[in-house]
Amino acid sequence: IAGINSNRGNKEFAKRTYIDVVEKNPQSIIDSLNLAKIYLREFNLIKAGRTLNNLVKANPQAKDDPKVKSFSVLMFFFR
């Protein structure tokens, strides 16, 4: 639902939905990445980095995922 709304331009609803989903299921790689991308589009690097760091705390195997690794610099600077 959040992805569809994001693609349709309803960014605020999509962000709120992803926040709710990530709070309930913090180990979800896809949802955390999508939320981080929304934050990046808003130039909110701190929240994007923290979202991904929280993902790795909840799901340590996520740090080995290539999609997550591509954000490693962001995660390093914004813990």
Side-chain angles (χ1 to χ4, degrees):
I1 294 173
I4 292 168
N5 279 287
S6 180
N7 291 337
R8 289 187 174 176
N10 194 349
K11 305 291 184 196
E12 204 53 44
F13 179 79
K15 182 170 72 170
R16 174 60 29 213
T17 304
Y18 277 125
I19 289 169
D20 291 341
V21 169
V22 169
E23 286 176 357
K24 293 176 185 172
N25 187 15
Q27 64 271 21
S28 172
I29 294 173
I30 299 299
D31 293 326
S32 295
L33 283 172
N34 287 334
L35 178 58
K37 288 176 186 177
I38 289 173
Y39 285 139
L40 287 173
R41 286 187 202 112
E42 296 174 346
F43 301 103
N44 194 337
L45 302 176
I46 295 170
K47 284 192 176 183
R50 288 184 180 159
T51 298
L52 296 173
N53 280 310
N54 289 338
L55 164 66
V56 172
K57 284 180 192 172
N59 181 359
Q61 294 84 8
K63 68 181 175 187
D64 297 326
D65 188 292
K67 294 179 290 263
V68 176
K69 280 185 177 182
S70 66
F71 293 99
S72 61
V73 172
L74 179 70
M75 293 169 59
F76 177 76
F77 285 110
F78 300 101
R79 294 180 183 205

